[in-house]
Amino acid sequence: MMLGKSRLGLRALAAVAASSLLLAGCSSAATSTSPAASEAASSAPAANLTMTFLPKNLGNAYFDTSYKGVQAAAGVLGATVNQVGPAKGDDPAGQVSYINTATQQQVGALLVSANDKSAICDSLKEAMTAGVKVVTFDSDTEADCRDLFINQATADGIAKVQVDMIADQIGDSGEIAILSASANATNQNAWIEMMKADLAANHPNIKLVDTVYGNDDDQTSFDKTSALLQSHPNLKGIISPTTVGIAAAARYLSKSDSKGKVALTGLGTPNQMREYVKDGTVTEFALWNPQDLGTLATYAAAALIKGEITGAEGDKFTAGDLGEFTVGADKTVLLGQPYKFNKDNIDQFDF
Ligand code: RAM
Protein backbone atom coordinates (compact mmCIF):
# COMPACT_ATOMS: atom_id res chain seq x y z
CA MET A 1 0.00 0.00 0.00
CA MET A 2 1.33 3.43 -0.90
CA LEU A 3 1.45 6.11 1.71
CA GLY A 4 -0.91 9.08 1.45
CA LYS A 5 0.80 12.37 0.93
CA SER A 6 -0.44 13.77 4.24
CA ARG A 7 1.92 11.29 5.93
CA LEU A 8 4.78 12.79 3.93
CA GLY A 9 4.01 16.47 4.50
CA LEU A 10 6.18 18.84 6.49
CA ARG A 11 4.54 18.50 9.83
CA ALA A 12 7.53 19.12 12.05
CA LEU A 13 6.61 22.73 12.73
CA ALA A 14 3.09 21.76 13.66
CA ALA A 15 4.50 19.10 15.96
CA VAL A 16 6.76 21.62 17.68
CA ALA A 17 3.90 24.07 18.07
CA ALA A 18 1.52 21.44 19.44
CA SER A 19 4.12 20.11 21.83
CA SER A 20 5.01 23.59 23.05
CA LEU A 21 1.37 23.98 24.01
CA LEU A 22 1.53 20.64 25.78
CA LEU A 23 4.69 21.66 27.57
CA ALA A 24 3.08 24.94 28.60
CA GLY A 25 0.18 22.92 29.99
CA CYS A 26 2.58 20.67 31.89
CA SER A 27 4.44 23.49 33.53
CA SER A 28 1.28 25.10 34.87
CA ALA A 29 0.20 21.70 36.20
CA ALA A 30 3.57 21.33 37.89
CA THR A 31 3.02 24.48 39.97
CA SER A 32 0.04 22.81 41.63
CA THR A 33 1.96 19.61 42.51
CA SER A 34 2.18 18.90 46.24
CA PRO A 35 5.57 19.54 47.94
CA ALA A 36 6.02 15.80 48.66
CA ALA A 37 5.44 14.93 45.05
CA SER A 38 7.89 17.53 43.79
CA GLU A 39 10.52 16.31 46.25
CA ALA A 40 10.09 12.76 44.92
CA ALA A 41 10.29 14.04 41.36
CA SER A 42 13.44 16.02 41.99
CA SER A 43 15.21 13.05 43.58
CA ALA A 44 14.65 10.90 40.46
CA PRO A 45 17.77 10.89 38.28
CA ALA A 46 17.33 13.10 35.21
CA ALA A 47 17.26 11.19 31.91
CA ASN A 48 20.41 11.75 29.86
CA LEU A 49 18.81 13.14 26.70
CA THR A 50 22.04 13.92 24.87
CA MET A 51 22.38 12.12 21.55
CA THR A 52 24.81 11.79 18.67
CA PHE A 53 23.38 11.65 15.14
CA LEU A 54 25.72 9.72 12.85
CA PRO A 55 24.58 9.50 9.20
CA LYS A 56 26.41 7.48 6.54
CA ASN A 57 28.02 10.71 5.40
CA LEU A 58 27.71 14.47 5.86
CA GLY A 59 26.59 16.73 3.00
CA ASN A 60 23.88 14.30 1.82
CA ALA A 61 20.53 16.12 1.37
CA TYR A 62 18.68 13.00 2.49
CA PHE A 63 20.39 12.94 5.89
CA ASP A 64 20.20 16.74 6.19
CA THR A 65 16.43 16.34 5.95
CA SER A 66 16.47 13.53 8.54
CA TYR A 67 18.43 15.82 10.83
CA LYS A 68 15.70 18.46 10.58
CA GLY A 69 13.29 15.86 11.93
CA VAL A 70 15.78 14.96 14.66
CA GLN A 71 16.11 18.59 15.74
CA ALA A 72 12.35 19.18 15.68
CA ALA A 73 11.81 16.15 17.93
CA ALA A 74 14.74 17.14 20.16
CA GLY A 75 13.14 20.56 20.64
CA VAL A 76 9.94 18.95 21.85
CA LEU A 77 11.71 16.39 24.06
CA GLY A 78 14.26 18.79 25.56
CA ALA A 79 17.06 16.67 24.07
CA THR A 80 20.40 17.87 22.74
CA VAL A 81 21.56 16.20 19.53
CA ASN A 82 24.92 16.70 17.88
CA GLN A 83 25.57 15.63 14.27
CA VAL A 84 28.91 14.09 13.27
CA GLY A 85 29.91 11.85 10.39
CA PRO A 86 32.46 10.93 7.74
CA ALA A 87 32.74 12.88 4.50
CA LYS A 88 32.24 9.74 2.41
CA GLY A 89 29.42 7.22 2.42
CA ASP A 90 31.75 4.21 2.26
CA ASP A 91 33.78 4.83 5.39
CA PRO A 92 32.81 2.51 8.27
CA ALA A 93 36.17 3.15 9.97
CA GLY A 94 35.28 6.84 10.05
CA GLN A 95 31.97 5.94 11.71
CA VAL A 96 33.76 3.80 14.30
CA SER A 97 35.84 6.76 15.48
CA TYR A 98 32.70 8.88 15.96
CA ILE A 99 31.00 6.03 17.83
CA ASN A 100 33.99 5.71 20.18
CA THR A 101 33.97 9.45 20.82
CA ALA A 102 30.24 9.40 21.61
CA THR A 103 30.83 6.56 24.08
CA GLN A 104 33.61 8.51 25.79
CA GLN A 105 31.29 11.52 25.97
CA GLN A 106 28.68 9.28 27.65
CA VAL A 107 25.83 10.39 25.43
CA GLY A 108 22.41 8.93 26.19
CA ALA A 109 21.92 7.56 22.68
CA LEU A 110 23.50 7.11 19.28
CA LEU A 111 21.40 7.39 16.10
CA VAL A 112 23.30 5.64 13.32
CA SER A 113 22.81 4.86 9.62
CA ALA A 114 25.37 2.10 9.10
CA ASN A 115 27.95 2.11 6.32
CA ASP A 116 28.56 -1.57 6.94
CA LYS A 117 26.39 -4.00 8.88
CA SER A 118 29.22 -5.68 10.78
CA ALA A 119 32.31 -3.42 10.64
CA ILE A 120 30.86 -0.94 13.18
CA CYS A 121 29.42 -3.64 15.44
CA ASP A 122 32.20 -3.97 18.02
CA SER A 123 32.24 -0.26 18.72
CA LEU A 124 28.44 -0.19 19.00
CA LYS A 125 28.52 -3.11 21.45
CA GLU A 126 31.06 -1.21 23.56
CA ALA A 127 28.75 1.79 23.49
CA MET A 128 25.82 -0.33 24.69
CA THR A 129 27.95 -1.87 27.45
CA ALA A 130 28.78 1.67 28.57
CA GLY A 131 25.05 2.43 28.82
CA VAL A 132 24.52 4.22 25.51
CA LYS A 133 21.25 3.31 23.76
CA VAL A 134 21.94 2.46 20.12
CA VAL A 135 19.27 3.17 17.51
CA THR A 136 20.07 2.39 13.88
CA PHE A 137 17.88 4.04 11.27
CA ASP A 138 17.85 3.90 7.44
CA SER A 139 20.70 1.34 7.16
CA ASP A 140 20.91 -1.36 9.81
CA THR A 141 23.67 -3.33 11.52
CA GLU A 142 23.53 -6.93 12.70
CA ALA A 143 20.62 -7.11 15.13
CA ASP A 144 22.75 -7.73 18.24
CA CYS A 145 24.68 -4.48 17.73
CA ARG A 146 21.79 -2.14 18.44
CA ASP A 147 18.77 -1.70 20.71
CA LEU A 148 16.38 -0.79 17.87
CA PHE A 149 16.31 -0.36 14.09
CA ILE A 150 14.01 2.30 12.64
CA ASN A 151 13.08 0.97 9.22
CA GLN A 152 11.88 3.50 6.62
CA ALA A 153 9.69 0.92 4.85
CA THR A 154 9.74 -2.84 4.35
CA ALA A 155 12.69 -3.97 2.22
CA ASP A 156 10.44 -5.94 -0.11
CA GLY A 157 8.13 -2.94 -0.53
CA ILE A 158 11.11 -0.71 -1.41
CA ALA A 159 12.42 -3.30 -3.86
CA LYS A 160 9.05 -3.89 -5.49
CA VAL A 161 8.23 -0.23 -6.07
CA GLN A 162 11.52 0.23 -7.95
CA VAL A 163 11.10 -2.88 -10.10
CA ASP A 164 7.49 -1.94 -10.87
CA MET A 165 8.56 1.56 -11.96
CA ILE A 166 11.38 0.42 -14.25
CA ALA A 167 9.19 -2.32 -15.77
CA ASP A 168 6.52 0.26 -16.46
CA GLN A 169 9.00 2.74 -17.94
CA ILE A 170 10.76 0.30 -20.33
CA GLY A 171 7.75 -1.77 -21.40
CA ASP A 172 8.80 -4.69 -19.16
CA SER A 173 11.63 -5.67 -21.52
CA GLY A 174 15.31 -4.94 -22.12
CA GLU A 175 18.66 -4.41 -20.36
CA ILE A 176 18.86 -2.53 -17.08
CA ALA A 177 21.64 -1.69 -14.62
CA ILE A 178 21.76 -0.67 -10.97
CA LEU A 179 23.74 2.33 -9.72
CA SER A 180 23.98 1.80 -5.97
CA ALA A 181 25.60 3.53 -2.98
CA SER A 182 28.55 1.70 -1.40
CA ALA A 183 29.19 -2.00 -1.94
CA ASN A 184 28.74 -2.67 1.80
CA ALA A 185 25.63 -0.57 2.44
CA THR A 186 23.20 -2.78 4.38
CA ASN A 187 20.06 -1.11 3.10
CA GLN A 188 20.92 -0.95 -0.62
CA ASN A 189 22.26 -4.51 -0.59
CA ALA A 190 19.06 -5.85 0.94
CA TRP A 191 16.96 -4.00 -1.64
CA ILE A 192 19.15 -5.17 -4.54
CA GLU A 193 18.82 -8.82 -3.49
CA MET A 194 15.03 -8.47 -3.39
CA MET A 195 14.94 -6.62 -6.73
CA LYS A 196 16.92 -9.45 -8.31
CA ALA A 197 14.48 -12.01 -6.93
CA ASP A 198 11.48 -10.01 -8.16
CA LEU A 199 13.02 -9.57 -11.63
CA ALA A 200 13.78 -13.28 -11.89
CA ALA A 201 10.31 -14.32 -10.75
CA ASN A 202 8.13 -11.78 -12.47
CA HIS A 203 9.99 -10.02 -15.30
CA PRO A 204 11.64 -12.64 -17.55
CA ASN A 205 12.28 -10.14 -20.34
CA ILE A 206 14.21 -7.67 -18.21
CA LYS A 207 17.91 -8.44 -17.98
CA LEU A 208 20.02 -6.92 -15.20
CA VAL A 209 23.40 -6.53 -16.92
CA ASP A 210 25.46 -4.62 -14.33
CA THR A 211 25.53 -3.31 -10.76
CA VAL A 212 27.93 -0.44 -10.05
CA TYR A 213 28.69 1.61 -6.93
CA GLY A 214 28.91 5.40 -6.74
CA ASN A 215 29.63 5.30 -2.98
CA ASP A 216 27.04 8.04 -2.33
CA ASP A 217 29.54 10.47 -3.81
CA ASP A 218 28.11 12.80 -6.44
CA GLN A 219 31.07 12.80 -8.84
CA THR A 220 31.71 9.06 -8.59
CA SER A 221 28.02 8.37 -9.25
CA PHE A 222 28.07 10.76 -12.23
CA ASP A 223 31.14 9.05 -13.70
CA LYS A 224 29.69 5.56 -13.13
CA THR A 225 26.57 6.60 -15.04
CA SER A 226 28.67 7.68 -18.00
CA ALA A 227 30.64 4.42 -17.88
CA LEU A 228 27.45 2.32 -17.72
CA LEU A 229 26.08 3.94 -20.86
CA GLN A 230 29.35 3.36 -22.69
CA SER A 231 29.72 -0.28 -21.68
CA HIS A 232 26.08 -1.17 -22.35
CA PRO A 233 24.94 0.50 -25.58
CA ASN A 234 21.60 -1.35 -25.43
CA LEU A 235 20.80 -0.22 -21.92
CA LYS A 236 17.14 0.72 -21.55
CA GLY A 237 17.01 1.68 -17.92
CA ILE A 238 18.89 2.43 -14.69
CA ILE A 239 17.62 1.88 -11.15
CA SER A 240 19.48 3.94 -8.55
CA PRO A 241 18.32 3.04 -5.02
CA THR A 242 20.14 5.98 -3.48
CA THR A 243 19.25 9.68 -3.44
CA VAL A 244 22.84 10.67 -4.23
CA GLY A 245 23.12 8.23 -7.14
CA ILE A 246 19.80 9.01 -8.80
CA ALA A 247 20.40 12.79 -8.66
CA ALA A 248 23.89 12.43 -10.19
CA ALA A 249 22.63 10.01 -12.86
CA ALA A 250 19.76 12.37 -13.72
CA ARG A 251 22.19 15.27 -14.07
CA TYR A 252 24.33 13.20 -16.45
CA LEU A 253 21.38 11.90 -18.50
CA SER A 254 19.70 15.31 -18.76
CA LYS A 255 22.66 16.62 -20.78
CA SER A 256 23.31 13.46 -22.79
CA ASP A 257 21.92 11.91 -25.97
CA SER A 258 20.38 9.21 -23.79
CA LYS A 259 17.91 11.65 -22.23
CA GLY A 260 14.41 10.28 -22.75
CA LYS A 261 15.85 7.07 -24.26
CA VAL A 262 17.36 5.47 -21.16
CA ALA A 263 14.86 5.43 -18.28
CA LEU A 264 16.03 6.34 -14.79
CA THR A 265 14.20 5.54 -11.58
CA GLY A 266 14.94 4.58 -8.00
CA LEU A 267 14.94 6.48 -4.70
CA GLY A 268 15.31 10.26 -4.73
CA THR A 269 14.28 13.38 -2.87
CA PRO A 270 11.67 15.53 -4.61
CA ASN A 271 13.80 18.67 -4.23
CA GLN A 272 16.84 17.10 -5.90
CA MET A 273 14.80 15.44 -8.67
CA ARG A 274 12.27 18.17 -9.49
CA GLU A 275 14.17 19.72 -12.41
CA TYR A 276 14.79 16.30 -14.00
CA VAL A 277 11.14 15.35 -13.77
CA LYS A 278 10.20 18.69 -15.31
CA ASP A 279 12.75 18.43 -18.16
CA GLY A 280 11.61 14.89 -19.05
CA THR A 281 14.75 13.02 -17.94
CA VAL A 282 12.85 11.14 -15.22
CA THR A 283 9.23 9.96 -15.23
CA GLU A 284 8.76 8.61 -11.73
CA PHE A 285 10.79 7.70 -8.65
CA ALA A 286 10.03 6.89 -5.01
CA LEU A 287 11.01 7.63 -1.41
CA TRP A 288 9.60 8.01 2.10
CA ASN A 289 9.91 11.16 4.19
CA PRO A 290 13.49 11.29 5.59
CA GLN A 291 12.40 13.99 8.05
CA ASP A 292 9.80 11.69 9.60
CA LEU A 293 12.48 8.98 9.81
CA GLY A 294 14.71 11.30 11.88
CA THR A 295 11.79 12.32 14.08
CA LEU A 296 10.83 8.70 14.73
CA ALA A 297 14.41 7.68 15.54
CA THR A 298 14.73 10.50 18.08
CA TYR A 299 11.48 9.68 19.88
CA ALA A 300 12.47 6.00 19.95
CA ALA A 301 15.88 6.85 21.43
CA ALA A 302 14.29 9.05 24.10
CA ALA A 303 11.84 6.28 25.02
CA LEU A 304 14.77 3.85 25.40
CA ILE A 305 16.77 6.32 27.50
CA LYS A 306 13.81 6.97 29.80
CA GLY A 307 13.19 3.22 30.16
CA GLU A 308 9.69 3.54 28.68
CA ILE A 309 10.61 0.80 26.21
CA THR A 310 13.40 -1.78 26.06
CA GLY A 311 13.13 -2.67 22.37
CA ALA A 312 11.11 -5.82 23.06
CA GLU A 313 8.52 -6.86 20.49
CA GLY A 314 5.18 -5.28 21.37
CA ASP A 315 6.67 -2.25 23.17
CA LYS A 316 4.72 0.90 22.30
CA PHE A 317 5.76 4.54 22.23
CA THR A 318 4.47 7.79 20.80
CA ALA A 319 6.49 9.81 18.28
CA GLY A 320 4.78 13.21 18.61
CA ASP A 321 2.71 14.12 15.60
CA LEU A 322 3.55 10.82 13.84
CA GLY A 323 1.48 8.96 16.43
CA GLU A 324 1.97 5.65 18.20
CA PHE A 325 4.40 2.96 17.04
CA THR A 326 4.85 -0.64 18.15
CA VAL A 327 8.19 -2.47 18.16
CA GLY A 328 8.03 -5.44 15.79
CA ALA A 329 10.13 -8.57 15.40
CA ASP A 330 13.95 -8.27 15.54
CA LYS A 331 13.75 -4.99 17.51
CA THR A 332 12.53 -3.00 14.51
CA VAL A 333 10.06 -0.16 14.12
CA LEU A 334 8.48 0.52 10.73
CA LEU A 335 7.82 4.07 9.53
CA GLY A 336 5.57 3.28 6.56
CA GLN A 337 5.84 2.47 2.87
CA PRO A 338 7.49 4.29 -0.05
CA TYR A 339 5.61 6.90 -2.04
CA LYS A 340 5.91 7.58 -5.78
CA PHE A 341 6.71 11.04 -7.16
CA ASN A 342 6.02 12.21 -10.73
CA LYS A 343 5.20 15.41 -12.62
CA ASP A 344 1.64 15.45 -11.30
CA ASN A 345 2.52 15.52 -7.61
CA ILE A 346 6.16 16.56 -7.19
CA ASP A 347 5.37 20.22 -6.53
CA GLN A 348 3.38 19.25 -3.46
CA PHE A 349 6.57 18.16 -1.65
CA ASP A 350 9.41 20.16 -0.18
CA PHE A 351 12.21 17.96 1.10
C1 RAM B 1 21.01 7.75 0.22
C2 RAM B 1 21.58 6.88 1.30
C3 RAM B 1 20.50 6.37 2.23
C4 RAM B 1 19.32 5.79 1.48
C5 RAM B 1 18.79 6.81 0.51
C6 RAM B 1 17.63 6.26 -0.30
O1 RAM B 1 20.75 9.04 0.69
O2 RAM B 1 22.25 5.80 0.72
O3 RAM B 1 21.04 5.38 3.07
O4 RAM B 1 18.30 5.38 2.34
O5 RAM B 1 19.83 7.20 -0.37
Side-chain angles (χ1 to χ4, degrees):
M1 192 190 77
M2 289 298 134
L3 210 58
K5 75 174 178 330
S6 62
R7 183 84 172 176
L8 287 169
L10 291 177
R11 288 160 303 167
L13 283 178
V16 172
S19 307
S20 313
L21 288 175
L22 276 175
L23 285 177
C26 287
S27 60
S28 64
T31 52
S32 62
T33 310
S34 72
S38 28
E39 220 169 80
S42 65
S43 65
N48 174 12
L49 290 176
T50 56
M51 303 181 196
T52 294
F53 178 76
L54 177 54
K56 280 180 174 173
N57 57 336
L58 298 182
N60 177 341
Y62 171 89
F63 290 115
D64 290 345
T65 303
S66 291
Y67 194 50
K68 281 190 197 164
V70 168
Q71 287 299 347
V76 175
L77 290 161
T80 307
V81 190
N82 182 29
Q83 176 174 220
V84 293
K88 293 187 166 182
D90 61 344
D91 183 9
Q95 288 197 309
V96 166
S97 77
Y98 289 111
I99 293 165
N100 293 343
T101 302
T103 304
Q104 281 156 17
Q105 291 169 338
Q106 298 183 310
V107 298
L110 260 162
L111 310 176
V112 186
S113 172
N115 269 325
D116 187 300
K117 74 174 174 188
S118 44
I120 65 172
C121 267
D122 285 348
S123 60
L124 289 178
K125 283 180 180 167
E126 281 167 24
M128 289 195 288
T129 305
V132 179
K133 300 298 179 191
V134 174
V135 175
T136 52
F137 71 98
D138 176 68
S139 182
D140 199 10
T141 54
E142 307 284 3
D144 61 339
C145 309
R146 41 75 170 165
D147 293 291
L148 267 186
F149 171 50
I150 311 299
N151 196 3
Q152 48 273 58
T154 59
D156 56 345
I158 296 171
K160 184 172 184 326
V161 75
Q162 295 179 86
V163 170
D164 286 352
M165 289 187 296
I166 202 73
D168 196 41
Q169 292 171 24
I170 66 169
D172 207 11
S173 172
E175 293 185 0
I176 64 163
I178 293 175
L179 167 66
S180 190
S182 78
N184 290 336
T186 325
N187 49 348
Q188 273 89 11
N189 284 351
W191 305 332
I192 289 170
E193 281 315 303
M194 289 182 178
M195 287 196 276
K196 284 182 179 167
D198 186 6
L199 286 169
N202 303 312
H203 302 275
N205 297 325
I206 298 182
K207 189 167 174 221
L208 176 62
V209 292
D210 214 344
T211 300
V212 297
Y213 301 91
N215 293 336
D216 272 353
D217 175 72
D218 175 72
Q219 189 60 45
T220 311
S221 307
F222 187 89
D223 295 343
K224 295 276 173 161
T225 307
S226 163
L228 269 181
L229 293 169
Q230 274 171 29
S231 355
H232 304 286
N234 296 324
L235 202 65
K236 284 184 74 181
I238 299 173
I239 298 177
S240 186
T242 146
T243 59
V244 179
I246 195 174
R251 194 170 83 253
Y252 183 88
L253 281 177
S254 70
K255 302 268 181 325
S256 83
D257 292 343
S258 302
K259 177 181 170 188
K261 295 181 196 138
V262 175
L264 170 66
T265 190
L267 304 174
T269 69
N271 286 354
Q272 287 176 297
M273 297 303 291
R274 192 177 329 276
E275 68 178 286
Y276 307 115
V277 167
K278 296 208 167 174
D279 77 4
T281 306
V282 170
T283 308
E284 192 167 56
F285 63 96
L287 198 68
W288 44 91
N289 187 332
Q291 177 158 344
D292 288 350
L293 191 64
T295 298
L296 180 54
T298 309
Y299 275 100
L304 284 166
I305 293 169
K306 292 176 186 169
E308 293 166 0
I309 60 171
T310 62
E313 187 168 356
D315 274 356
K316 291 184 193 309
F317 65 99
T318 301
D321 190 38
L322 295 178
E324 188 181 73
F325 289 81
T326 304
V327 177
D330 301 324
K331 300 180 285 180
T332 59
V333 177
L334 183 64
L335 176 65
Q337 284 299 336
Y339 185 81
K340 292 197 271 190
F341 304 92
N342 53 44
K343 68 174 171 25
D344 297 329
N345 66 12
I346 196 160
D347 281 338
Q348 295 162 23
F349 301 95
D350 184 15
F351 61 84

